[in-house]
Amino acid sequence: KTMRILFFLFFSLISMQLHSQDFQQYRWENRLLLIVDQSDQQAKRQQQLVFLQKEAAGLIDRKLKVFSLSKKGMQEGMQDVSKWKAMEIPARFKTQQSLKVFLIGLDGGIKATYDAPIMPQSIFDIIDTMPMRRAELNSRN
């Protein structure tokens, strides 16, 4: 019985480490927008995704990847990402609210959080004031 418990703990720790690294693969390469909605309705999450779909060029220009988490699992943009499930999301992003939107910078830090759908331009305005974004823009000139 002790071996089973140790075996379970060992694989649980490895699993937690692997899943916490899922977002790490984007660090210094992409900014992330994580949309979390654990409600049954999903209307706010869908509204946020519709807002973002209309601004694809702005997302690409700002190296912003969109992830959406619902009770059904994770999506990258509008594509299901079957390797991730709600229980595998790092604890700092879990919420019981009907909607929580996290803006995550290139450094992996949370730069802003929202409790309602937000217009993409508001997100872009925040990103455009970030030092690394200003450096990106300056290097284009």
Side-chain angles (χ1 to χ4, degrees):
K1 187 173 180 170
T2 304
M3 284 302 283
R4 279 190 205 170
I5 292 172
L6 289 174
F7 184 75
F8 175 77
L9 287 173
F10 175 74
F11 280 101
S12 294
L13 288 172
I14 288 175
S15 177
M16 286 171 48
Q17 184 178 2
L18 289 174
H19 296 307
S20 67
Q21 292 176 351
D22 284 334
F23 285 130
Q24 294 298 324
Q25 70 183 331
Y26 298 102
R27 193 177 217 177
W28 305 116
E29 297 293 322
N30 294 99
R31 295 170 182 92
L32 305 176
L33 193 67
L34 178 60
I35 305 162
V36 182
D37 191 343
Q38 296 295 315
S39 71
D40 293 326
Q41 311 282 309
Q42 300 293 304
K44 291 180 181 179
R45 183 177 72 91
Q46 290 299 332
Q47 182 182 17
Q48 183 66 72
L49 289 171
V50 168
F51 288 164
L52 294 167
Q53 283 177 331
K54 295 176 182 177
E55 297 293 337
L59 297 174
I60 292 167
D61 184 48
R62 289 167 182 84
K63 301 180 189 175
L64 186 60
K65 286 198 170 281
V66 177
F67 291 92
S68 171
L69 173 67
S70 69
K71 287 182 176 182
K72 295 179 182 177
M74 176 73 81
Q75 292 179 315
E76 180 176 349
M78 297 302 283
Q79 304 295 319
D80 286 332
V81 183
S82 59
K83 66 178 180 171
W84 289 346
K85 295 182 176 26
M87 71 179 92
E88 298 168 347
I89 293 300
R92 66 184 176 152
F93 300 120
K94 287 187 178 179
T95 179
Q96 298 302 316
Q97 295 180 328
S98 63
L99 181 77
K100 194 78 161 181
V101 179
F102 299 92
L103 174 60
I104 303 166
L106 291 173
D107 63 358
I110 298 173
K111 304 304 180 187
T113 59
Y114 308 95
D115 295 324
I118 183 156
M119 297 305 292
Q121 190 57 53
S122 296
I123 297 167
F124 297 164
D125 290 346
I126 290 171
I127 292 171
D128 291 347
T129 64
M130 294 177 180
M132 293 188 75
R133 172 64 175 164
R134 288 193 308 239
E136 290 170 12
L137 295 172
N138 287 338
S139 69
R140 289 183 190 173
N141 297 333

